[in-house]
Amino acid sequence: MRTPPRATSGRRITSAGKTGRAGKALLSGVLAICLAGTMAMPTLPAEAAKPKPPVIPSKAAVERAKQAAASKAGQVAAIERQLAAAGARLEQLGIASGIADEAYNGAVYRLQQAKAEAAAAAARAAEAQKTLAAQRQQIGRFAAASYQGGGDVAKIAPLFTAEGPQQLLDSAGAAYSVSAAMQGSYLRFTATEVMTNLFKVQADQAVVKVKKAADEAAKAKKAAEDAEAAQSAAVTAIGVQRKQSIAQLAVLQNISVQVAAQRQQGLEELARQRAAAIAAKKAAELKRRIAAREAAERRAEAAERAREAAEQAREEKEEREQNNGKKNPPKRHKPSTPSRDNDDNDNNNGGNHSSRKGASAAIEFAMRQLGDMYLWGATGPSRWDCSGLTQGAWEKAGVQLPHYSVAQYEQIQHIDEDELRPGDLIFWSLNPSDPGTIHHVAMYLGNGRMIHAPRTGKPVQIDSVYYWEPPDFFGRP
């Protein structure tokens, strides 16, 4: 049964009235709570609503901050300079060590020479003494025969007394009574005696020279040992200092030690690359100058061959004209000028020069030693110093060189820088105008490169000719 509309409407009205009364009651309660809460909150001062004033450092504080930043930057720069100076110090110690090592080689070389001279002088003195004794016996036999025959030669008996020949010369009367044969024997005897005494003096001087050379060699050895020890100690100390400096850099720059080390290595590598670029540029220039010289030499050789051919043709024409149609005589061929190889000298300049085969053998030997460590005074088979390596390499080519860079330069053909060919030797000195101050030697490979034993702590390696200081002297074994 349907509900009458009026009844439904009445219920709705009644429901609405109840809801309105409940909402009013709820609203009144909320307002009462809010008013109560508001009355319970403490009263804040009026200043709390204003923004806080900014912190403005004083000019003095700003200046102090700037100084601190500048100080930190200065410390960073100082540490970086210390690291650079440490690297330079190691390089200088390496150079000094190499110089001391080669000075020792020189002292040993001079000692060997002094010993050889002493042995030769002693041999000359001994031979002269034997000759003198033989001549004395000859004169003695002649005098004995004269005594037996009662001749005037008996008057030269003083010759065999303690005073010897001098007493005979002091007697003017005896000189007139000596026969021509006896006088000739006596003169030879006196001359031999003078030479014997001279050789004895030379032998004594040679012994003194050996002693002096031995002392110098001992001093040079001590100096080389001290230089090696100083370098070794510096490598250790500077290594520790380098780690400490990199740690300080990390703190000052607020970065990790690993990053600081990488940065330092990067800076050092950048410096090395710049130096290598400069060296490569110089090497390219050297290569250009060598090529230009070779081209000029080839043009000169071609012109000389053309001149010889023209001269030969003219001579043949003259011979044909002289023979008036007769059968031509055999042609005379002149030897042509040997051409110069682009890589090596083919012995066309005379003297004890390197052949192409010799230079190739020397280079091949040196290349097999790549990676062998440096050892001062060493001549192989697995350790080398600079002159020991070049000596060993050219020995394989049949050329004997001393174990001393100065003497090596003295005993080979001197050339100019743009005459360099593979296998030639390159020298560095303390004084570019004095080859006596040479202290390092390397072997040229071509294209501005060389192979050498650099110094303690370094292996036999290939470098640019200009990786270090420009070389001063050049030579061809």
Side-chain angles (χ1 to χ4, degrees), residues 174-198:
Y176 289 102
S177 62
V178 177
S179 66
M182 184 61 188
Q183 183 145 352
S185 297
Y186 170 71
L187 291 175
R188 287 192 297 274
F189 174 84
T190 53
T192 301
E193 186 177 42
V194 170
M195 292 304 299
T196 300
N197 291 333
L198 175 62

Side-chain angles (χ1 to χ4, degrees), residues 93-436:
L93 284 171
I95 295 171
S97 175
I99 292 173
D101 296 347
E102 202 59 14
Y104 169 72
N105 289 339
V108 172
Y109 175 73
R110 288 186 290 273
L111 175 59
Q112 292 170 345
Q113 286 185 315
K115 287 181 177 179
E117 292 174 3
R124 289 194 300 267
E127 186 63 27
Q129 187 65 42
K130 287 172 59 178
T131 303
L132 183 67
Q135 291 179 353
R136 186 187 299 273
Q137 291 176 356
Q138 181 182 12
I139 295 175
R141 288 192 296 270
F142 187 31
S146 178
Y147 272 116
Q148 294 174 0
D152 292 335
V153 177
K155 296 179 181 180
I156 66 168
L159 177 63
F160 307 102
T161 63
E163 290 76 10
Q166 186 60 44
Q167 183 178 352
L168 180 62
L169 289 176
D170 291 340
S171 175
Y176 289 102
S177 62
V178 177
S179 66
M182 184 61 188
Q183 183 145 352
S185 297
Y186 170 71
L187 291 175
R188 287 192 297 274
F189 174 84
T190 53
T192 301
E193 186 177 42
V194 170
M195 292 304 299
T196 300
N197 291 333
L198 175 62
F199 289 153
K200 285 181 179 178
V201 171
Q202 290 178 344
D204 292 341
Q205 291 175 341
V207 171
V208 173
K209 190 174 180 180
V210 168
K211 178 64 169 61
K212 182 180 178 182
D215 291 342
E216 291 178 350
K219 291 179 181 178
K221 183 179 181 180
K222 180 65 167 55
E225 291 172 343
D226 291 345
E228 293 288 330
Q231 184 192 13
S232 178
V235 167
T236 302
I238 290 176
V240 173
Q241 178 189 354
R242 190 174 187 274
K243 289 182 180 179
Q244 294 174 346
S245 298
I246 289 176
Q248 292 174 3
L249 276 177
V251 173
L252 290 170
Q253 295 175 335
N254 296 323
I255 56 178
S256 71
V257 174
Q258 182 179 1
V259 175
Q262 290 175 347
R263 169 179 166 76
Q264 183 60 31
Q265 291 170 359
L267 292 174
E268 292 171 357
E269 175 62 18
L270 181 60
R272 188 198 66 76
Q273 290 177 359
R274 289 172 178 169
I278 295 173
K281 185 176 180 181
K282 291 181 179 179
E285 174 60 21
L286 173 62
K287 183 179 178 181
R288 185 196 65 76
R289 287 189 285 115
I290 290 175
R293 181 156 188 155
E294 288 178 341
E297 290 173 351
R298 286 194 295 269
R299 288 193 298 270
E301 291 167 359
E304 178 63 19
R305 287 194 295 269
R307 186 193 64 77
E308 291 177 351
E311 182 179 352
Q312 182 175 343
R314 179 182 59 77
E315 292 177 353
E316 291 174 352
K317 181 179 179 182
E318 291 176 353
E319 289 174 356
R320 287 194 299 270
E321 291 175 352
Q322 290 175 359
N323 288 314
N324 293 322
K326 294 180 181 179
K327 187 176 180 180
N328 293 334
K331 295 182 179 180
R332 295 179 297 172
H333 293 283
K334 292 186 177 181
S336 60
T337 304
S339 62
R340 188 183 183 110
D341 189 85
N342 288 345
D343 293 331
D344 300 288
N345 188 332
D346 244 346
N347 272 336
N348 59 318
N349 290 327
N352 183 26
H353 302 164
S354 63
S355 66
R356 176 170 180 168
K357 181 178 179 181
S360 298
I363 292 172
E364 182 181 354
F365 178 87
M367 293 293 286
R368 288 201 302 268
Q369 315 315 313
L370 282 172
D372 288 355
M373 294 304 295
Y374 179 98
L375 177 65
W376 67 281
T379 57
S382 59
R383 304 290 293 274
W384 310 87
D385 64 10
C386 65
S387 55
L389 178 64
T390 51
Q391 178 195 42
W394 272 104
E395 184 177 9
K396 286 297 181 182
V399 177
Q400 299 298 322
L401 295 177
H403 182 204
Y404 179 36
S405 56
V406 173
Q408 287 185 2
Y409 181 72
E410 291 173 347
Q411 296 184 17
I412 63 178
Q413 178 194 5
H414 300 168
I415 60 176
D416 294 329
E417 187 174 16
D418 56 1
E419 290 182 280
L420 279 172
R421 303 292 181 269
D424 291 343
L425 302 184
I426 309 171
F427 300 87
W428 285 258
S429 67
L430 297 176
N431 182 353
S433 61
D434 181 8

Side-chain angles (χ1 to χ4, degrees), residues 5-28:
R6 185 173 181 87
T8 305
S9 176
R11 282 197 299 271
R12 286 181 181 173
I13 291 171
T14 302
S15 176
K18 291 180 179 178
T19 303
R21 285 194 297 271
K24 287 179 181 179
L26 178 61
L27 179 60
S28 298

